[in-house]
Amino acid sequence: MKQTTPTILMIEPTGFGYNPEAAATNSFQQELRDFTPSQVQDIALLEFRNAVSELRNLGVEVITIRDPENAGTPDSVFPNNWFSTHAEGHLVTYPMASPSRRNERRQEVIEQIKDACQCEGHITLEFFEEQETPVYLEGTGSMVLDRVNKIAYAAVSPRTNEDVLRQFCDKLGYKAVTFVAYGAAGELIYHTNVMMCVGDTYAVVALETVAEQDREMLRTSLTDNGKEIIEISKGQTYQHFAGNMLQVENQQGERILVMSKAAYESLTPKQQERLLALNEHILYLPIHMIEKAGGGSIRCMIAELFSKQ
């Protein structure tokens, strides 16, 4: 198994904006009253298209699908939350906390993903939304996957339920490593991938956001599985999305660590130097509007496409 892929999917937004449904559990979102909804969408679209262009310039295969007009899906630019693909030949779709986000699971997009990845099986977990007490697991937002060692790291939260996580792990052969992590106001961090990134030989992680009783367990799991830990601070995490990184590769097999411009500029020179030593390229992208209004960053915008090996 490989940790990285040269093929990714990104959804071009048509109605991007602040989503009050999602904001209830996402403290990273901001309602930007100085901009009209159309301005927010227009700026986000420019940021999106620039990100796609820069990724392609470095040799990453980017498949883009345009969201339908008037779809009522303001968060569609973050597709990694509702599906994931796996080199064993599986597509997994997930239960989403926000009703508007469930509309992102369009059958025609699912068929395109299946074709692109030559998926042999489709594991559906969205039935958890329909339970008397619904529970959620929002894809590789809720989980940060060590695909080589088959470990699913997950900070439990209203959007990351341990029962759904257990079912994912049972079906895909993963081991769950769960912990508690806190946001700036003491709330549970809504998605694990805002405070943690796992690459091929390293992990970027905001250990000081993790509950003290879980911190050493998480550190040990990462190091025991061959990951060099590069720690980031609470401030880098809460204010600049420094944990929301993703390692991909290009068609030449070069490793690329992708992050936002805000995240990169928050890193210390020592952190920048070490990450560049562990990757052939660091790509940092200006996505200020998407981060502020959407409450997610570049990792959330990238859904990895793994074909069966």
Side-chain angles (χ1 to χ4, degrees):
M1 296 300 167
K2 291 179 62 179
Q3 182 66 24
T4 58
T5 174
T7 307
I8 62 176
L9 174 72
M10 298 178 71
I11 302 292
E12 181 173 296
T14 59
F16 174 81
Y18 176 81
N19 184 354
E21 283 181 4
T25 51
N26 179 353
S27 60
F28 289 78
Q29 279 185 262
Q30 298 178 30
E31 189 170 7
L32 304 176
R33 299 182 186 277
D34 292 337
F35 297 87
T36 67
S38 62
Q39 287 173 329
V40 171
Q41 159 62 22
D42 290 346
I43 295 169
L45 182 58
L46 289 173
E47 293 175 345
F48 172 88
R49 288 178 174 170
N50 176 69
V52 170
S53 176
E54 292 294 326
L55 284 157
R56 286 174 173 164
N57 286 343
L58 277 179
V60 179
E61 181 184 4
V62 185
I63 297 172
T64 60
I65 297 175
R66 191 167 186 267
D67 211 28
E69 297 284 350
N70 303 313
T73 50
D75 294 307
S76 63
V77 76
F78 303 132
N80 80 307
N81 298 143
W82 68 262
F83 84 90
S84 64
T85 62
H86 302 267
E88 299 89 344
H90 296 297
L91 164 70
V92 186
T93 48
Y94 295 94
M96 304 293 291
S98 299
S100 64
R101 298 219 60 189
R102 299 167 194 174
N103 297 326
E104 297 173 33
R105 295 188 306 247
R106 294 185 286 124
Q107 191 59 40
E108 63 268 28
V109 179
I110 289 172
E111 294 305 322
Q112 286 181 262
I113 296 165
K114 287 180 177 178
D115 289 344
C117 297
Q118 301 175 326
C119 293
E120 296 178 351
H122 180 184
I123 296 169
T124 58
L125 298 176
E126 51 264 43
F127 65 87
F128 281 100
E129 297 167 352
E130 308 302 326
Q131 295 183 152
E132 185 175 350
T133 302
V135 288
Y136 315 106
L137 184 74
E138 297 190 331
T140 53
S142 288
M143 302 176 292
V144 172
L145 301 180
D146 178 343
R147 292 175 181 266
V148 174
N149 295 301
K150 305 209 79 172
I151 299 171
Y153 292 99
V156 295
S157 78
R159 300 201 198 180
T160 303
N161 176 268
E162 291 186 81
D163 290 337
V164 194
L165 174 65
R166 192 174 303 113
Q167 186 145 154
F168 168 87
C169 290
D170 288 347
K171 289 181 179 295
L172 273 294
Y174 274 72
K175 173 189 174 183
V177 174
T178 60
F179 53 94
V180 172
Y182 297 107
E187 79 285 5
L188 293 173
I189 282 184
Y190 77 110
H191 277 166
T192 312
N193 73 3
V194 300
M195 51 74 62
M196 184 178 186
C197 160
V198 170
D200 56 350
T201 62
Y202 62 91
V204 179
V205 57
L207 282 171
E208 65 180 17
T209 70
V210 177
E212 193 170 344
Q213 70 269 18
D214 294 336
R215 204 171 295 165
E216 194 56 38
M217 175 275 297
L218 178 57
R219 184 194 300 273
T220 299
S221 178
L222 290 165
T223 55
D224 283 355
N225 285 284
K227 305 302 181 187
E228 175 185 343
I229 293 177
I230 299 169
E231 286 198 52
I232 54 175
S233 70
K234 288 181 179 179
Q236 289 170 320
T237 303
Y238 301 152
Q239 299 166 28
H240 305 289
F241 282 99
N244 200 247
M245 305 174 179
L246 180 67
Q247 187 186 43
V248 298
E249 61 184 75
N250 61 16
Q251 301 299 317
Q252 294 74 45
E254 295 174 322
R255 296 163 299 175
I256 303 166
L257 183 60
V258 188
M259 66 187 77
S260 73
K261 185 172 186 285
Y264 182 77
E265 291 179 346
S266 79
L267 299 178
T268 66
K270 184 177 180 180
Q271 289 168 328
Q272 293 174 355
E273 181 181 351
R274 187 61 196 140
L275 289 170
L276 186 55
L278 294 165
N279 299 276
E280 279 72 33
H281 305 277
I282 293 179
L283 178 61
Y284 50 95
L285 299 161
I287 52 167
H288 180 77
M289 180 61 76
I290 291 173
E291 288 184 323
K292 294 296 184 185
S297 190
I298 190 64
R299 192 279 168 265
C300 309
M301 296 168 61
I302 296 173
E304 302 145 283
L305 297 182
F306 284 87
S307 297
K308 183 171 172 58
Q309 296 179 355

